Amino acid sequence: MTEMVYGAVRVQTGEPILPRWWRTVDKWTLSCIVSLFGIGLLLGFAASPPLAGRNGLDAFYYVQRQAFFGGVALTVAMVVSMMSPQVIRRYAVLGFVMSLIALALLPFLGTDFGKGAVRWYSLGFASFQPSEFLKPLYIVTAAWLMAAGQELNGPPGKLISFGLTGFIVLLLALQPDFGQSALVLFAWGTMYFVAGAPMLLLSGIAGMVVLGGIFSYHNSQHFARRIDGFLSPDVDPRTQLGYATNAIREGGFFGVGVGEGEVKWSLPDAHTDFIIAVAAEEYGLVLVGLIIALYSVVVVRSLIRLIKERDPFIRLAGTGLACSFGVQAMINMGVAVRLLPAKGMTLPFVSYGGSSLIAMGIAVGILLAFTRKRPQGQIGELLRGRGRL
């Protein structure tokens, strides 16, 4: 019956999994991700030795850890990208429940490492940030609920996903972590829009977000301090934003030269949240433009492939993952150039951070799996009444 409706599908019997994966995966996206990780290592050699020296560690301690965690992240991405969407969905829902429990227990068992926000579990040899792992798993779970709601006699998936989103945002706001809260809301709103949400409803939700921001400003010193710093016409040159702004300005078009930058000696987060400032100062606009281009290719290539996908679950989850990936990069760079308030958000695959790298590996692995070429997986083929690989 399937062949009568969609046409015959070529199946290569007995094809090994690696050749099949290589034939169907988006090689442009994969190449961009590997390139971003390579740039992150390059910048780590410049940005991390001053911090290692201040902490009494080997000069390349943080670079070695970044290489290790990055290798794990790329391996995880490749393994996950070989899985079927059905298998990914099962594991993602299970992982989401575990991550949500870990997030809920943070106020009781977590630590802030002196940064004013309880976001991490300290494991002694490393730290663990559950919100990083929660994001991609939440997106897949929310997409599954929305897709299930579109089926005949299906559950109220959109309503359930909205309630789940509100609960997650509340937990993140209590840390406080308003940057991750905004990213979760953005991912849900993007998927809801793709699923066919009316603009009036989205406008109402946007209004609720604005009201929530006003409430947070008046009731959270952490949030108010960051907003006041962003709105201030003058930037204190001794703050992280001041150092980053000056470094970007000094870099110019070609940068001051490899190893010649000064911002890494002043910024405590030069290897994480403000890594783009190191790139701009030492390599100039040339490297920054390349980084932006790599992120853009990942997002655009993924969305082009997802437009042709007819499975609602894959289309929604892939769109949420691609857009949140691009927006996280945009937020990180926007903070460095003072277009956005400080958020404490890493630059995907470039910034240092074990949790961030591995969680991003999971996210990209899922995205690569959902954008692989599959038999009968495109709307155009359905309209033409035939399928092909």
Side-chain angles (χ1 to χ4, degrees):
M1 174 64 77
T2 301
E3 292 183 358
M4 293 175 61
V5 177
Y6 298 109
V9 180
R10 295 201 313 269
V11 178
Q12 300 187 19
T13 306
E15 185 181 11
I17 185 171
L18 280 176
R20 185 169 68 250
W21 170 80
W22 182 250
R23 181 168 52 84
T24 58
V25 76
D26 186 357
K27 300 175 186 63
W28 279 94
T29 296
L30 184 62
S31 300
C32 289
I33 295 301
V34 174
S35 298
L36 286 168
F37 174 61
I39 291 173
L41 281 180
L42 175 67
L43 296 176
F45 277 104
S48 62
L51 178 65
R54 289 194 293 268
N55 293 335
L57 301 170
D58 179 74
F60 298 112
Y61 171 80
Y62 292 107
V63 179
Q64 293 168 357
R65 287 175 63 87
Q66 185 174 5
F68 170 76
F69 286 118
V72 173
L74 292 177
T75 302
V76 168
M78 189 176 74
V79 171
V80 172
S81 68
M82 294 180 184
M83 298 179 181
S84 68
Q86 294 74 22
V87 171
I88 289 175
R89 184 180 62 200
R90 296 190 194 104
Y91 283 117
V93 173
L94 177 61
F96 168 72
V97 173
M98 296 171 62
S99 299
L100 188 60
I101 294 173
L103 187 68
L105 293 177
L106 266 179
F108 310 100
L109 304 175
T111 181
D112 63 353
F113 289 112
K115 296 186 177 182
V118 182
R119 301 175 184 174
W120 298 270
Y121 286 104
S122 178
L123 306 178
F125 60 93
S127 61
F128 166 68
Q129 188 174 356
S131 62
E132 293 285 356
F133 293 90
L134 180 77
K135 284 183 299 183
L137 304 176
Y138 154 77
I139 290 173
V140 175
T141 303
W144 171 54
L145 290 170
M146 291 184 186
Q150 295 179 356
E151 298 177 359
L152 187 64
N153 298 322
K158 294 179 180 178
L159 181 61
I160 296 174
S161 68
F162 178 69
L164 197 60
T165 303
F167 181 62
I168 294 171
V169 169
L170 177 62
L171 292 178
L172 290 171
L174 290 175
Q175 293 183 6
D177 191 347
F178 297 103
Q180 299 286 13
S181 301
L183 202 57
V184 167
L185 280 172
F186 170 80
W188 180 84
T190 301
M191 291 188 292
Y192 200 20
F193 175 77
V194 174
M199 289 301 299
L200 183 61
L201 178 60
L202 290 176
S203 300
I205 294 174
M208 292 172 59
V209 171
V210 173
L211 293 176
I214 295 173
F215 176 83
S216 299
Y217 179 81
H218 291 289
N219 293 275
S220 171
Q221 293 183 357
H222 178 84
F223 185 78
R225 186 166 56 251
R226 294 198 169 190
I227 295 298
D228 289 340
F230 171 69
L231 295 177
S232 174
D234 301 316
V235 181
D236 187 343
R238 296 166 296 179
T239 63
Q240 294 203 93
L241 281 176
Y243 289 128
T245 302
N246 182 68
I248 293 171
R249 181 169 55 247
E250 292 294 325
F253 195 84
F254 293 107
V256 298
V258 180
E260 299 298 323
E262 297 294 332
V263 70
K264 59 194 176 187
W265 299 98
S266 307
L267 275 176
D269 293 329
H271 64 315
T272 55
D273 298 351
F274 290 93
I275 191 72
I276 197 67
V278 177
E281 184 181 31
E282 297 199 359
Y283 297 91
L285 182 62
V286 174
L287 183 60
V288 174
L290 175 61
I291 293 173
I292 294 173
L294 290 172
Y295 285 118
S296 301
V297 170
V298 172
V299 175
V300 173
R301 287 280 304 183
S302 299
L303 292 178
I304 289 175
R305 287 198 167 207
L306 290 166
I307 286 174
K308 303 174 183 178
E309 178 61 55
R310 75 164 184 264
D311 187 317
F313 163 67
I314 296 175
R315 189 166 60 249
L316 292 173
T319 301
L321 288 167
C323 291
S324 62
F325 179 83
V327 167
Q328 179 169 335
M330 184 180 70
I331 289 174
N332 177 278
M333 291 184 281
V335 168
V337 296
R338 208 165 172 251
L339 288 175
L340 295 169
K343 292 287 193 302
M345 196 171 290
T346 59
L347 190 60
F349 282 103
V350 178
S351 295
Y352 170 85
S355 295
S356 174
L357 278 170
I358 297 176
M360 198 55 64
I362 295 173
V364 168
I366 297 173
L367 182 60
L368 287 170
F370 286 173
T371 55
R372 285 175 60 184
K373 295 178 181 178
R374 280 179 296 277
Q376 306 175 20
Q378 299 181 352
I379 293 176
E381 295 171 355
L382 176 62
L383 296 177
R384 291 195 301 269
R386 59 187 180 87
R388 66 186 179 186
L389 184 58

